[in-house]
Amino acid sequence: MSSIRPTTVARALIAASLASALAMPAWGNEAAPADASGDADGQRTDIIVNGQRSGYGVDDTRSATRTDTRVLDIPQALTAVSKQQIDDRAFRSIADVLRAVPGAIPSQGEGNRDQIVLRGNGSTADFFVDGLRDDVQYYRPLYNLESVEVLRGPNAMTFGRGGGGGIVNRVTKTPDRATFGAASVSSDSFGAWYLDGDANLKLAGNVAVRVNAVREALANHRDVYGGHVTAVNPVVKLFGASTDVTLSYEYNDDDRVTDRGLPSVGGRPLTGFRDTFFGVRGVNRTQFTGNVGRATIEHRFSDRLRVTQRLLYGDYDKYYSNAFASGAVIGTGAARRVPVQAYRDTTRRDNLISQTDLVWQTSTGAIEHVILAGAEVSRQQTASSRFNGFFDGLAGATIGNLSVTAPLTDPFVVPPIVFRPGTGQRDNHSTATIFAGYLQDQLKLGPVELLLGLRHDRFTLDVTNQLTGQQFTRGDALWSPRAGLVVHPIKSVSLYVSYARSYLPQSGDQFTSLDVTTAGLKPERFDSYEIGAKWEPRPGLLIAADIYQLDRSNTRAPGPVAGTTVLAGAQRSRGFEIEAQGAITANWQISLAYALQDAKIVQTTAAAPAGRQVALVPRHSFAAFSRYQLTPRFAIGAGVSLLSARFASISNSVLLPAYTRVDAALYYRLSSTIEAQFNVENLFDVGYFPTSNGDNNISTGAPINARATLRFRL
């Protein structure tokens, strides 16, 4: 019997999803009729209201505490970006979503992955989906989400190692006890387009299935850039009297050009080459395939006692290849040249994660408790390799033919590259094993709430260097405390103070390397102190502000002998954040985010002297967006994004200039089931440099462009 390829399955599921969405009966803004037939036990089913926009506000979450907690009661900064805001602003990536979050900056990620900087701490791995670790390096699509939650500040009590500056958690859509559907089609002025669908079917008995799917073609202002994304996520849920079971599978295929931007010159980004591609067509490419299965079983012993078991198995295959500018522009006038290097990188990873949470609501006298006791067991197996590109026989080639300079022209022409496997920096096989237990108590006495938690992780990493045959093992026992105090002077206001700690083993957040030096080093440590206030002036609107200090210690630095590493240096981030998310009135939605940050090295090292600013962290960042419903059919939207100047790397030798960008949007409801949307990005055609990966891989901002979208609600 012939095998079935994953792409064939994915295409069939996508076709079924979109067909189901388009075939479903229409519904408007009114409530759907109640199902009078009732469930199998004879009880009347819930009345489902479809077609209402959810708004920008998110009232509660499980992410921050692993229990159902109002955002108002969480003693830590958390921004939840809802599906409506994602749709209204035409966000297509995690980098887009971060524009709505104070203190969050997207990094370029070498043109092949999501990478974030939260409160001055960068990471490629602090991503989660429904609270489960999602740490592989790739671009995460948004097609199947209810919201994206960004928790700022370390919180290993909830999420385990890493998360020094915070985490990004994607909350996915789950089946509902109703039949409904939606779809959208969109295209922009660069030629990019996407088609997505969302179909929810109530089946016989207490079973529902939901399928989300997307097909997207990628394009932007950059020469050569393009690619596609195909993803599908079917989910089945069994609703029981005391037990719910949810089974999910997600297939994700991402194939795109690896674009690492342009180099610097004279301590600033190179200008006049906004669209020029400093790579090679066909060579600069990244491919990712993910197959992820998830299962959640929740059993309610009573209204006050439940246990939740979550399982995840993920199989990930990642490849990227690139030629890139490896140094600043040299020379003057027509003789200007750009240093170039190249390499290829592959990663295969299997993740197996099990989480068990027991939540008990009880009381001792006048004190109410929500007690969480849990355990996590996980194993991650990774095969990671990188090999070099060579410029053999070329005049001017240096570093053993690994580097060459090419004339600065448009288009930019990279000399011929030869890739030779077995000649690279890395070929490692690693296994990370984690055993963790945690205990948390949320105590409430009148207007005072106290959050106390402690987690213990036993982290073991075994690495085999395939190039040398060397084997290394590192084990760490990590204790991660958390404490927070919340006071409600009035019901709609909370004042809080909190402390949290997190760790990151010295093998890095991808666990791809370990050597004789790093195997003996203590983990990096993150300690956070935060004071804040939250106010809910009306349901659906939350205003929050905080002041924080985040200390990072045990950072790595080059040792006195070439090729060695020592524990030295420390980093401190301080800042003030304020945000507003939600509905000012029934017709007026707003998102506002401002951050004042100072992130710098506070302990001198040879690599980074004290006083240097942390890469990509602006002193000021501001973003606002508002949608106003002028009539029942017509709405307008407008937004502004501002970043002050920031350094491209810890060298502090290349400065990315400040910029302000304005966006606009129009919305028109053509009928009860169809809405047209028109978004304009960079309305005043400002030239800017939003982010980078080091001093000479600098991304260029897109010129004025427009996106038209049709949304169907069925």
Side-chain angles (χ1 to χ4, degrees):
M1 183 173 64
S2 62
S3 61
I4 300 176
R5 293 176 59 85
T7 52
T8 303
V9 176
R11 289 169 182 165
L13 287 171
I14 291 171
S17 170
L18 298 179
S20 298
L22 295 172
M24 291 181 188
W27 48 264
N29 287 332
E30 66 276 8
D35 182 356
S37 61
D39 290 337
D41 60 3
Q43 299 297 314
R44 184 186 177 103
T45 57
D46 294 336
I47 297 175
I48 305 298
V49 179
N50 293 322
Q52 299 293 334
R53 300 186 70 90
S54 60
Y56 291 3
V58 175
D59 295 329
D60 52 59
T61 176
R62 281 192 182 182
S63 297
T65 60
R66 307 184 77 89
T67 64
D68 295 313
T69 305
R70 294 190 307 164
V71 176
L72 185 70
D73 297 336
I74 295 171
Q76 193 166 4
L78 182 147
T79 301
V81 182
S82 69
K83 181 182 184 299
Q84 182 181 339
Q85 187 175 172
I86 291 171
D87 288 346
D88 283 355
R89 302 178 70 171
F91 288 159
R92 301 304 307 154
S93 66
I94 292 294
D96 286 342
V97 172
L98 293 183
R99 300 205 321 255
V101 181
I105 304 296
S107 179
Q108 183 197 89
E110 296 180 288
N112 69 77
R113 61 181 181 260
D114 289 325
Q115 188 163 340
I116 55 176
V117 180
L118 298 176
R119 292 186 171 176
N121 292 273
S123 176
T124 67
D126 291 328
F127 297 93
F128 294 78
V129 55
D130 296 327
L132 295 168
R133 189 170 290 274
D134 176 39
D135 58 2
V136 183
Q137 295 182 344
Y138 71 106
Y139 288 111
R140 292 154 180 83
L142 310 178
Y143 72 104
N144 61 341
L145 302 185
E146 291 290 356
S147 65
V148 177
E149 300 174 331
V150 182
L151 185 72
R152 301 188 297 285
N155 190 352
M157 205 325 284
T158 302
F159 297 100
R161 88 275 177 182
I167 64 94
V168 174
N169 181 51
R170 294 179 294 144
V171 181
T172 62
K173 300 174 184 177
T174 56
D176 201 351
R177 298 192 191 195
T179 295
F180 59 86
S184 65
V185 58
S186 179
S187 181
D188 71 14
S189 51
F190 297 125
W193 58 266
Y194 71 86
L195 173 68
D196 64 17
D198 177 4
N200 192 97
L201 297 171
K202 180 183 178 182
L203 304 180
N206 294 320
V207 180
V209 61
R210 190 166 189 174
V211 182
N212 280 267
V214 66
R215 173 69 178 184
E216 182 171 10
L218 305 172
N220 63 18
H221 64 292
R222 300 280 289 160
D223 296 339
V224 179
Y225 184 78
H228 72 263
V229 176
T230 304
V232 63
N233 180 205
V235 187
V236 177
K237 187 168 184 177
L238 291 77
F239 298 90
S242 59
T243 304
D244 295 339
V245 179
T246 305
L247 304 175
S248 168
Y249 164 72
E250 183 172 13
Y251 170 80
N252 185 1
D253 173 53
D254 189 309
D255 189 333
R256 68 179 75 193
V257 169
T258 306
D259 182 8
R260 295 180 62 162
L262 47 75
S264 66
V265 58
R268 296 291 188 274
L270 175 67
T271 58
F273 291 81
R274 182 195 63 192
D275 302 338
T276 305
F277 183 63
F278 287 82
V280 180
R281 185 189 297 271
V283 171
N284 283 59
R285 185 183 182 190
T286 179
Q287 297 171 285
F288 171 81
T289 303
N291 292 276
V292 181
R294 298 191 296 271
T296 301
I297 303 172
E298 181 173 290
H299 178 71
R300 297 170 293 278
F301 297 98
S302 68
D303 292 341
R304 302 178 68 83
L305 181 64
R306 64 172 170 83
V307 63
T308 303
Q309 173 66 51
R310 300 178 185 89
L311 295 170
L312 179 149
Y313 173 73
D315 176 77
Y316 312 92
D317 191 352
K318 168 74 180 293
Y319 158 87
Y320 73 94
S321 173
N322 59 171
F324 60 97
S326 59
V329 175
I330 56 178
T332 59
R336 291 189 297 175
R337 302 180 70 87
V338 178
V340 178
Q341 293 184 7
Y343 65 84
R344 287 180 174 171
D345 190 291
T346 64
T347 300
R348 286 295 307 270
R349 177 171 293 171
D350 290 332
N351 282 357
L352 182 61
I353 303 171
S354 170
Q355 285 183 356
T356 306
D357 289 345
L358 181 70
V359 178
W360 180 31
Q361 299 179 49
T362 186
S363 60
T364 54
I367 302 176
E368 300 176 10
H369 300 263
V370 178
I371 298 174
L372 165 72
E376 178 175 328
V377 180
S378 65
R379 185 192 66 185
Q380 296 178 275
Q381 293 183 308
T382 304
S384 175
S385 66
R386 176 174 294 186
F387 57 90
N388 294 316
F390 292 85
F391 300 95
D392 293 338
L394 296 178
T398 60
I399 321 178
N401 292 335
L402 290 175
S403 181
V404 72
T405 63
L408 177 58
T409 57
D410 185 13
F412 183 70
V413 180
V414 176
I417 306 168
V418 177
F419 291 97
R420 289 201 291 269
T423 60
Q425 303 109 319
R426 182 179 71 245
D427 187 0
N428 293 335
H429 289 186
S430 65
T431 300
T433 307
I434 299 94
F435 297 93
Y438 42 88
L439 184 65
Q440 175 183 276
D441 191 1
Q442 294 169 266
L443 304 92
K444 182 177 181 181
L445 177 61
V448 179
E449 300 173 17
L450 182 62
L451 173 65
L452 298 173
L454 182 65
R455 176 177 177 129
H456 178 72
D457 285 82
R458 179 63 188 178
F459 176 87
T460 304
L461 179 66
D462 299 295
V463 177
T464 300
N465 186 326
Q466 300 291 108
L467 298 176
T468 65
Q470 292 178 297
Q471 295 180 330
F472 301 97
T473 298
R474 170 76 195 189
D476 291 293
L478 308 175
W479 290 95
S480 303
R482 180 187 189 187
L485 175 67
V486 180
V487 178
H488 294 278
I490 58 175
K491 185 177 180 180
S492 61
V493 173
S494 64
L495 307 176
Y496 70 86
V497 58
S498 70
Y499 167 78
R501 179 188 299 169
S502 185
Y503 291 97
L504 178 65
Q506 290 291 345
S507 49
D509 55 22
Q510 290 297 323
F511 311 127
T512 54
S513 63
L514 199 65
D515 56 33
V516 67
T517 301
T518 56
L521 299 180
K522 294 181 180 179
E524 293 189 67
R525 174 170 160 173
F526 305 83
D527 291 278
S528 176
Y529 310 86
E530 184 174 322
I531 299 173
K534 300 178 182 181
W535 177 36
E536 190 177 54
R538 68 186 303 271
L541 175 64
L542 184 68
I543 301 172
D546 64 79
I547 300 172
Y548 68 87
Q549 176 175 301
L550 174 55
D551 292 324
R552 180 177 186 174
S553 56
N554 292 343
T555 57
R556 288 182 291 176
V561 178
T564 65
T565 304
V566 297
L567 277 183
Q571 175 184 316
R572 171 167 290 173
S573 301
R574 287 175 170 171
F576 166 74
E577 301 167 338
I578 186 168
E579 64 177 322
Q581 300 275 354
I584 295 178
T585 69
N587 294 325
W588 189 6
Q589 300 284 342
I590 190 169
S591 169
L592 182 148
Y594 169 76
L596 171 67
Q597 299 184 83
D598 179 29
K600 61 186 178 183
I601 304 300
V602 294
Q603 183 175 328
T604 297
T605 69
R612 282 193 181 173
Q613 297 295 308
V614 174
L616 298 181
V617 179
R619 180 74 172 173
H620 301 278
S621 60
F622 175 78
F625 188 86
S626 178
R627 170 180 168 140
Y628 191 81
Q629 197 74 33
L630 292 171
T631 72
R633 286 182 177 270
F634 181 60
I636 59 174
V640 61
S641 301
L642 178 152
L643 262 68
S644 61
R646 59 255 178 251
F647 289 107
S649 80
I650 199 67
S651 75
N652 285 194
S653 60
V654 175
L655 190 70
L656 305 183
Y659 72 88
T660 300
R661 196 189 83 188
V662 176
D663 304 328
L666 299 173
Y667 314 89
Y668 188 75
R669 184 170 295 280
L670 299 171
S671 70
S672 61
T673 60
I674 303 175
E675 182 179 72
Q677 177 176 328
F678 187 73
N679 293 81
V680 178
E681 181 182 284
N682 196 4
L683 184 63
F684 299 115
D685 202 21
V686 173
Y688 66 102
F689 302 93
T691 190
S692 72
N693 185 82
D695 289 341
N696 293 290
N697 295 161
I698 302 171
S699 298
T700 61
I704 182 172
N705 62 92
R707 175 178 289 275
T709 306
L710 282 177
R711 302 191 188 281
F712 306 89
R713 302 179 179 184
L714 309 167

